[in-house]
Amino acid sequence: RAKGNEAFKNKKWGLAIRNYTKGIKEDPQNQILYSNRSAAFIKMNRPNKALQDANKCVEMKKQWHKGYYRQSCAFIELMEYEKAIEALKQAIRIAPKERELRADLRRAKN
């Protein structure tokens, strides 16, 4: 995960994806790796792959707001705005104190 995070920080999206994929092979129950790889897929303009990983996050840990946030990012890129709004609403229900989610919801509605 650390190598993936370092690559992501340096905007080396492909390398980040490869490193997160290695991490997933070693720890397939780690939803954070799927979440991070989803973010990297968004940066690579691969929203379908990003959505697959976001869905895996939600499947693995339904009460973790970041999975729904990653879904919303993918849905926005796929121009499925109603689904993005619903995913953000679910994220806010789980983590109501995360102000950034509310800002993202306002942007998604516009």
Side-chain angles (χ1 to χ4, degrees), residues 49-88:
K49 296 293 269 180
L51 183 58
Q52 286 176 356
D53 279 355
N55 288 342
K56 187 72 173 171
C57 289
V58 171
E59 177 186 312
M60 293 171 76
K61 195 159 185 174
K62 291 189 182 346
Q63 294 303 310
W64 190 51
H65 71 282
K66 271 232 176 121
Y68 297 97
Y69 170 73
R70 298 290 186 220
Q71 282 182 328
S72 74
C73 294
F75 283 133
I76 287 169
E77 292 301 312
L78 292 166
M79 294 187 280
E80 295 186 35
Y81 302 111
E82 290 303 316
K83 290 180 181 179
I85 289 166
E86 288 308 310
L88 282 166

Side-chain angles (χ1 to χ4, degrees), residues 15-56:
L15 180 59
I17 289 167
R18 286 191 297 280
N19 284 319
Y20 293 135
T21 300
K22 286 179 188 175
I24 289 167
K25 286 179 182 172
E26 293 173 14
D27 186 4
Q29 297 306 310
N30 186 333
Q31 83 280 356
I32 296 169
L33 293 169
Y34 286 97
S35 175
N36 292 354
R37 190 172 71 174
S38 178
F41 277 131
I42 288 291
K43 296 291 188 180
M44 295 276 298
N45 197 29
R46 296 176 67 191
N48 288 310
K49 296 293 269 180
L51 183 58
Q52 286 176 356
D53 279 355
N55 288 342
K56 187 72 173 171

Side-chain angles (χ1 to χ4, degrees), residues 6-17:
E6 184 67 24
F8 191 93
K9 187 175 104 182
N10 292 317
K11 299 181 181 180
K12 296 180 179 178
W13 318 125
L15 180 59
I17 289 167

